[in-house]
């Protein structure tokens, strides 16, 4: 499987060395999947496109400094954070998830593969975002498949430093989700968001980009129950 995965990745513009690392991680993911129940995606083509190529699609955006402190909220088995870290060795990537089990899986993976520009963090985004060590620290915050956008932007905003970006990976419903956020981006310190389509093997993948221009008020994020019950916007 490793070789086939590697080939699909290099055919799609990933460098040889990076594709090799990614395919090793893909193999590790499949090997451990039974034990940890990490992903429903097991077909090699889907693994290449939906996990690895989708994760690094963000790197095609213009005008963003990618070699920065990066946070991946709700990384699960390491997406998009791991492929990102492999592709940008000069970035430092923090992989955050509330599930101990998933973080343990990633910890072993980064150790085995020697991915030394990534570290993990266990906890809930809405709590850690109030921690001084993480508050407005990251130049780039990423998140994929964690919550609807009106909830997710409140989870993310407090982590992003002024001048930095939050990018949400979304699918076909990106426009509707963005509409539902109303004036929440402004309330949280972001300027007007923009949507970009990424051309991924015919799939409708969208990136919603939020630029943080002002500080986020300390009252955000609220506790999860409140965010969920009454999302901003
Ligand atoms: N980003 C990955 C995994 C998505 S599954 C991917 O795209 O494949 C969503 C993950 O978000 C789960 O692992 C869950 O534990 C985590 N999660 C959900 N809410 C969270 C929160 N408030 N703080 C931290 N992690 C959260």
């Amino acid at each position: 499987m490793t070789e086939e995965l590697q080939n699909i990745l290099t055919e799609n513009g990933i460098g040889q060395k990076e594709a090799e690392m990614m395919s090793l991680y893909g193999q590790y993911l499949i090997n451990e999947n039974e034990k940890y129940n990490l992903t429903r995606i097991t077909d090699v083509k889907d693994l290449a496109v939906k996990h690895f190529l989708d994760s690094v699609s963000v790197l095609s955006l213009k005008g963003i400094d990618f070699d920065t402190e990066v946070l991946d909220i709700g990384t699960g088995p390491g997406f998009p954070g791991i492929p990102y870290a492999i592709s940008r060795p000069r970035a430092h990537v923090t992989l955050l998830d509330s599930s101990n089990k998933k973080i343990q899986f990633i910890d072993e993976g980064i150790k085995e593969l020697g991915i030394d520009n990534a570290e993990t963090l266990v906890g809930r985004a809405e709590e850690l975002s109030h921690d001084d060590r993480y508050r407005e620290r990251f130049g780039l915050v990423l998140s994929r498949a964690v919550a609807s956008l009106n909830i997710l932007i409140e989870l993310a905003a407090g982590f992003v430093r002024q001048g930095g970006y939050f990018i949400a990976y979304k699918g076909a419903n990106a426009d509707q989700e963005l509409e539902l956020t109303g004036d929440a981006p402004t309330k949280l310190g972001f300027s007007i968001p923009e949507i970009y389509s990424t051309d991924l093997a015919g799939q409708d993948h969208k990136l919603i980009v939020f630029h943080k221009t002002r500080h986020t008020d300390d009252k955000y994020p609220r506790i999860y129950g409140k965010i969920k019950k009454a999302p901003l916007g």
Side-chain angles (χ1 to χ4, degrees):
M1 190 206 84
T2 321
E3 201 174 321
E4 196 185 348
L5 180 53
Q6 197 177 329
N7 288 341
I8 303 174
L9 294 172
T10 50
E11 278 159 21
N12 283 280
I14 307 291
Q16 196 66 39
K17 210 176 93 213
E18 291 78 13
E20 200 179 315
M21 287 283 268
M22 287 182 199
S23 61
L24 286 173
Y25 193 80
Q27 184 69 62
Y28 169 64
L29 174 67
I30 297 301
N31 290 350
E32 300 293 300
N33 202 23
E34 235 167 78
K35 181 161 117 203
Y36 290 97
N37 192 20
L38 300 160
T39 182
R40 274 171 295 136
I41 298 173
T42 50
D43 172 74
V44 65
K45 179 90 209 286
D46 280 350
L47 195 60
V49 174
K50 294 184 182 162
H51 276 337
F52 290 96
L53 295 172
D54 187 41
S55 291
V56 297
S57 64
V58 70
L59 297 171
S60 62
L61 296 176
K62 304 278 173 262
I64 291 174
D65 176 15
F66 293 112
D67 294 327
T68 182
E69 284 280 348
V70 180
L71 175 71
D72 179 7
I73 300 178
T75 187
F79 300 103
I82 290 288
Y84 187 104
I86 291 171
S87 294
R88 302 297 292 200
R90 282 198 298 250
H92 182 265
V93 182
T94 302
L95 304 137
L96 163 66
D97 205 284
S98 53
S99 155
N100 236 320
K101 188 177 84 163
K102 288 178 178 154
I103 291 299
Q104 201 186 328
F105 163 80
I106 298 176
D107 277 338
E108 280 172 31
I110 57 184
K111 207 163 90 197
E112 237 169 78
L113 269 79
I115 302 171
D116 53 14
N117 61 331
E119 69 175 290
T120 55
L121 184 59
V122 188
R124 296 211 47 101
E126 64 276 19
E127 291 166 10
L128 290 170
S129 154
H130 286 290
D131 186 320
D132 282 347
R133 284 173 296 172
Y134 309 113
R135 187 84 184 169
E136 302 203 322
R137 165 176 147 188
F138 299 91
L140 179 60
V141 174
L142 307 172
S143 190
R144 189 182 83 156
V146 172
S148 57
L149 194 63
N150 51 4
I151 293 176
L152 197 56
I153 44 169
E154 187 167 344
L155 297 181
F159 288 114
V160 187
R161 72 162 166 253
Q162 244 183 309
Y165 293 86
F166 165 54
I167 304 181
Y169 290 61
K170 288 287 174 185
N173 292 331
D175 297 270
Q176 290 96 307
E177 284 203 42
L178 184 55
E179 212 167 292
L180 275 179
T181 64
D183 64 354
T186 313
K187 277 187 188 150
L188 292 164
F190 293 117
S191 59
I192 308 295
E194 288 182 50
I195 298 192
Y196 294 90
S197 289
T198 55
D199 181 26
L200 258 179
Q203 304 197 41
D204 209 1
H205 286 234
K206 303 257 171 77
L207 297 170
I208 311 184
V209 179
F210 299 83
H211 186 205
K212 182 138 161 203
T213 49
R214 285 165 291 112
H215 284 295
T216 301
D217 196 306
D218 282 345
K219 68 182 182 220
Y220 300 121
R222 297 163 293 162
I223 62 167
Y224 197 76
K226 284 202 176 144
I227 302 176
K228 200 152 171 131
K229 198 160 152 221
L232 295 174

